[in-house]
Amino acid sequence: MTDIVEPLPIVVGVDGSAASVEALSYAARIAAALDVPLAAVTTWTYPVMLDPFDPGTEWSPKMDAQRCLLDTVRAAFQGSPPEHFSQSVVPGRAAEVLIEQSDRASMLVVGSRGHRGFAGLLLGSVSAACAAHARCPVLVVHTPMPHPVTSEAPRASAPPGKR
């Protein structure tokens, strides 16, 4: 008798940033090549200053996270997610939730920096924490850097001794 083992999914942390759109798109190509499921995960928490029991509060971080996930999926797949794709919105801090999800993942994929990233940093706090503590391989995806446009043609350097 042989047991059929379901392959572990590739889990992607999504926060709506350009890096997470790129990460989700890239992870989908890997999942298709390896024939494994793909799971997008977005997290949410209540801000410290927001009273979740205030009846006057109409803003919901959970609804905001769900909207963010839908927008990211649309952007990454032009509205047509791949087969064997799942998505979930999970309460908790992003790094903690993704590290916990790594227990049941063949790979964890994150963008290099989220919305709150400081310019010039190569890794954000979530991607760095995942790379350091996840219990599966981690892929950190960087967004493509635009090439600066210059009006000058590159200068050829003179051969040695001809300067």
Side-chain angles (χ1 to χ4, degrees), residues 62-78:
K62 181 178 181 181
M63 295 298 289
D64 208 30
Q66 288 171 332
R67 198 171 315 108
C68 167
L69 179 58
L70 290 174
D71 290 346
T72 303
V73 168
R74 259 189 233 116
F77 305 127
Q78 291 74 42

Side-chain angles (χ1 to χ4, degrees), residues 40-91:
V41 178
T42 298
T43 66
W44 64 274
T45 59
Y46 275 103
V48 176
M49 301 303 288
L50 181 68
D51 180 3
F53 303 108
D54 180 0
T57 303
E58 293 188 25
W59 176 76
S60 163
K62 181 178 181 181
M63 295 298 289
D64 208 30
Q66 288 171 332
R67 198 171 315 108
C68 167
L69 179 58
L70 290 174
D71 290 346
T72 303
V73 168
R74 259 189 233 116
F77 305 127
Q78 291 74 42
S80 299
E83 192 176 350
H84 307 297
F85 174 71
S86 65
Q87 50 192 327
S88 58
V89 176
V90 180

Side-chain angles (χ1 to χ4, degrees), residues 92-104:
R93 298 175 68 179
E96 294 168 5
V97 169
L98 293 173
I99 291 166
E100 179 185 326
Q101 295 271 328
S102 74
D103 277 337
R104 299 171 303 282

Side-chain angles (χ1 to χ4, degrees), residues 79-162:
S80 299
E83 192 176 350
H84 307 297
F85 174 71
S86 65
Q87 50 192 327
S88 58
V89 176
V90 180
R93 298 175 68 179
E96 294 168 5
V97 169
L98 293 173
I99 291 166
E100 179 185 326
Q101 295 271 328
S102 74
D103 277 337
R104 299 171 303 282
S106 60
M107 178 185 290
L108 177 61
V109 181
V110 292
S112 57
R113 290 195 335 240
H115 279 300
R116 293 171 194 83
F118 293 99
L121 288 180
L122 294 178
L123 285 181
S125 60
V126 172
S127 55
C130 289
H133 301 289
R135 296 176 279 275
C136 68
V138 177
L139 174 62
V140 179
V141 178
H142 294 270
T143 54
M145 296 294 286
H147 296 289
V149 177
T150 61
S151 58
E152 292 182 19
R155 295 183 190 160
S157 59
K162 299 282 184 181

